């Protein structure tokens, strides 16, 4: 069923609250999620013709509660537990939510995020369950975003819910491992944003529904934890990067690198918000990796042109980031910054040290960066070879096309 846009805008933010109410009471994510979906379907069917209830949240919780009781009874009957099922309270008690059932919207969303990012789940499962339970995306939408069959994504989400149930995890805030769980939540939101900002595969560079959802959920966490520097840093990073979205592709969908983008198309309101958020948190909170990533994005965002970028500052930030949270991707970005400050050979020397890292050896970006630096150093044959390897390894069609165009451009260059 296609839900009207205005109705979808009403139902999506209510869905996590309804789910939270049911999970809080019954501690069964799987059955609660099924009941919520049926309640949402009922709303989409009845409200357009019969009108929206005065209290949509209470209506949805009442319908979902009745359906959940039916599901519990059916499940217990199947397991021959009629005695336990008979002890359930009658559906009439759920015509309106008790005061302790429906919490504040942000409270419910953050509690669900902590539950969806349970350490027993793998990152892909955490991402899928977060988008389903908290983001309100359908299984079909999530599958389409990650270019996997809907049945595969459905199985992943189902296994995640069953795994949470098996651990005995309850709907409670805060969890005992709150600090660790918060890091997992931020990592999941970062993964969702990155997949939307530069899709790992498929014909499109962007998946705007994922970046928008990541920003929305990170805003919720930030409202709940306004003094947490890393939450603020992640939100600032998302805003500063997403501000460039409209300038990252041409009319044909082709990739436009940062240095060649029309900065007049950047979203200045998003940049201003990101910079203000970052400035405030850097002055008050302990320094963390997301804040450093955001600081680097801010340098680019505030540069009038690619030529006027403060590359020494970018390099210093990457060096600090490499000390604080070392990773091969950070090291690769540091090599790019070093090349911009000290020349392409300095960057190539740093890249050579990364070639033995198996985490990067098969990644197209290592070869793409090497190709770019070899081109700047005047080694066109080496650059063409690296562009060719990078294009072969890339799984994103826009990135493949861009890398092949770079290779062909060198082949057509005068004197080649």
């Amino acid at each position: 069923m296609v839900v009207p846009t205005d109705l979808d805008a009403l139902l999506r933010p209510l869905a996590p609250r309804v789910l939270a109410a049911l999970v809080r009471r019954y501690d069964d994510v799987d059955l609660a999620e099924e009941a919520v979906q049926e309640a949402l379907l009922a709303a989409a069917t009845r409200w357009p013709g019969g009108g929206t209830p005065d209290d949509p949240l209470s209506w949805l919780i009442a319908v979902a509660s009745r359906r959940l009781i039916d599901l519990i009874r059916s499940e217990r009957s199947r397991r021959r537990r009629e005695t336990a099922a008979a002890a359930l309270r009658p559906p009439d008690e759920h015509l309106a939510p008790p005061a302790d059932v429906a919490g504040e919207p942000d409270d419910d969303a953050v509690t669900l995020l902590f539950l969806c990012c349970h350490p027993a789940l793998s990152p892909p499962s955490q991402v899928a369950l977060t988008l389903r339970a908290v983001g309100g995306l359908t299984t079909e939408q999530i599958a389409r975003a990650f270019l996997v069959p809907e049945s595969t994504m459905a199985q992943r989400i189902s296994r995640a819910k069953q795994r949470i149930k098996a651990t005995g995890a309850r709907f409670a805030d805060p969890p005992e491992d709150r600090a660790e769980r918060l890091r997992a939540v931020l990592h999941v939101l970062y993964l969702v944003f990155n997949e939307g900002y530069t899709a790992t595969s498929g014909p499109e560079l962007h998946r705007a529904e994922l970046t928008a959802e990541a920003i929305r959920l990170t805003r919720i966490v930030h409202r709940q934890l306004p003094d947490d520097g890393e939450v603020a840093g992640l939100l600032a990073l998302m805003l500063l990067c997403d501000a460039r979205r409209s300038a990252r592709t041409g009319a044909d969908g082709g990739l436009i690198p940062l240095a060649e983008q029309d900065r007049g198309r950047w979203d200045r309101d998003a940049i201003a918000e990101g910079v203000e958020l970052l400035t405030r948190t850097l002055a008050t909170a302990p320094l963390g990796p997301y804040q450093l990533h955001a600081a680097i994005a801010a340098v680019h965002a505030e540069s009038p042109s690619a030529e006027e970028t403060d590359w020494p500052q970018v390099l210093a930030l990457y060096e600090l980031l490499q000390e604080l949270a070392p990773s091969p991707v950070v090291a690769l970005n540091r090599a790019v910054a070093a090349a911009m400050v000290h020349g392409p050979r300095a960057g190539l020397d740093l890249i050579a040290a990364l070639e033995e890292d198996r985490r990067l050896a098969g990644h197209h970006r290592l070869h793409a960066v090497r190709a770019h630096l070899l081109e700047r150093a005047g080694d066109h044959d080496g650059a063409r070879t690296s562009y060719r390897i990078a294009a072969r390894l890339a799984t994103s069609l826009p990135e493949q096309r861009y890398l092949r165009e770079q290779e062909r451009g060198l082949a057509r260059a005068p004197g080649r």
Side-chain angles (χ1 to χ4, degrees), residues 308-348:
E308 296 173 87
T309 302
D310 188 348
W311 282 106
Q313 184 180 0
V314 172
L315 177 58
L317 289 169
Y318 270 123
E319 288 175 343
L320 183 56
L321 183 57
Q322 184 66 13
E323 292 180 12
L324 188 63
S327 78
V329 173
V330 170
L332 184 60
N333 289 331
R334 174 173 168 257
V336 174
M340 298 303 294
V341 176
H342 303 298
R345 286 298 169 188
L348 288 167

Side-chain angles (χ1 to χ4, degrees), residues 229 232 275-288 291-292 294-295:
V275 169
E276 192 277 332
L277 186 63
L278 177 64
T279 301
R280 186 169 66 247
T281 192
L282 286 176
T284 59
L287 191 63
Q291 294 168 67
L292 286 172

Side-chain angles (χ1 to χ4, degrees), residues 403-416:
L403 293 166
R404 290 189 179 114
E405 287 169 3
Q406 297 304 109
E407 179 194 353
R408 288 193 293 269
L410 284 176
R412 294 192 299 266
R416 299 309 304 160

Side-chain angles (χ1 to χ4, degrees), residues 8 32 55 85 108-109 128 134 141 153 178 200 241 246 252 255 273 280 317 326 334 343 368 370 381 403 409:
D8 181 64
D55 188 345
D108 289 342
V134 193
Q141 287 173 321
M153 186 58 68
R178 183 178 182 279
T200 54
C241 291
S246 64
D252 61 352
L255 184 152
E273 182 184 357
R280 186 169 66 247
L317 289 169
R334 174 173 168 257
R370 184 198 292 113
D381 289 336
L403 293 166

Side-chain angles (χ1 to χ4, degrees), residues 54-75:
D54 293 335
D55 188 345
L57 177 63
S58 295
W59 190 97
L60 289 167
I61 291 178
V63 173
S65 295
R66 287 196 293 268
R67 178 54 182 155
L68 180 57
I69 288 174
D70 289 342
L71 291 171
I72 291 174
R73 283 176 170 163
S74 176
E75 181 71 11

Side-chain angles (χ1 to χ4, degrees), residues 77 100 161 164 206 255 307 363 375 384:
S77 177
D100 65 339
K161 290 186 287 189
I164 286 180
H206 307 121
L255 184 152
E307 294 74 22
H363 198 289
E375 180 180 356
R384 287 175 59 198

Side-chain angles (χ1 to χ4, degrees), residues 35-293:
V36 170
Q37 292 309 307
E38 295 204 20
L40 294 174
L41 179 60
T45 302
R46 301 177 191 175
W47 293 2
T52 303
D54 293 335
D55 188 345
L57 177 63
S58 295
W59 190 97
L60 289 167
I61 291 178
V63 173
S65 295
R66 287 196 293 268
R67 178 54 182 155
L68 180 57
I69 288 174
D70 289 342
L71 291 171
I72 291 174
R73 283 176 170 163
S74 176
E75 181 71 11
R76 291 184 176 181
S77 177
R78 187 181 66 82
R79 296 177 182 179
R80 298 182 180 180
R81 295 179 181 174
E82 291 86 352
T83 302
L88 286 171
R89 283 168 290 185
D92 289 346
E93 292 190 27
H94 300 280
L95 290 177
D100 65 339
V101 170
E104 291 299 317
D106 287 357
D107 292 341
D108 289 342
V110 171
T111 304
L112 278 175
L113 275 170
F114 276 113
L115 189 62
C116 292
C117 295
H118 193 282
L121 302 181
S122 67
S125 294
Q126 291 173 339
V127 167
L129 191 57
T130 294
L131 291 174
R132 186 74 182 90
V134 193
L137 274 66
T138 66
T139 303
E140 180 186 4
Q141 287 173 321
I142 301 169
R144 188 167 61 246
F146 288 92
L147 298 181
V148 299
E150 184 177 354
S151 59
T152 300
M153 186 58 68
Q155 290 173 0
R156 182 179 299 172
I157 294 171
S158 178
R159 285 194 298 266
K161 290 186 287 189
Q162 291 301 318
R163 180 60 178 161
I164 286 180
K165 184 176 181 180
T167 65
R170 298 177 64 84
F171 188 92
D173 187 24
E176 293 181 0
D177 57 346
R178 183 178 182 279
E180 288 295 322
R181 198 76 67 87
L182 178 60
R183 279 196 285 271
V185 167
L186 297 184
H187 181 60
V188 164
L189 296 177
Y190 183 58
L191 290 176
V192 172
F193 179 83
N194 279 346
E195 181 60 32
Y197 188 66
T198 303
T200 54
S201 58
E204 305 295 333
L205 184 66
H206 307 121
R207 289 176 186 150
E209 72 276 15
L210 291 182
T211 54
E213 195 57 34
I215 291 173
R216 185 183 75 85
L217 294 177
T218 306
R219 284 190 188 280
I220 291 174
V221 180
H222 177 58
R223 285 197 296 268
Q224 286 288 290
L225 302 170
D227 298 325
D228 190 290
E230 281 295 81
V231 175
L234 179 58
L235 179 56
L237 173 63
M238 291 179 179
L239 291 169
L240 291 166
C241 291
D242 195 55
R244 305 195 296 257
R245 174 160 39 96
S246 64
R248 293 180 69 227
T249 53
D252 61 352
L255 184 152
I256 301 176
L258 177 63
E260 300 174 19
Q261 289 173 17
D262 177 1
R263 299 185 179 218
R265 298 179 63 194
W266 289 1
D267 185 340
R268 290 295 158 185
D269 289 338
I271 290 173
E273 182 184 357
V275 169
E276 192 277 332
L277 186 63
L278 177 64
T279 301
R280 186 169 66 247
T281 192
L282 286 176
T284 59
L287 191 63
Y290 289 120
Q291 294 168 67
L292 286 172
H293 278 294

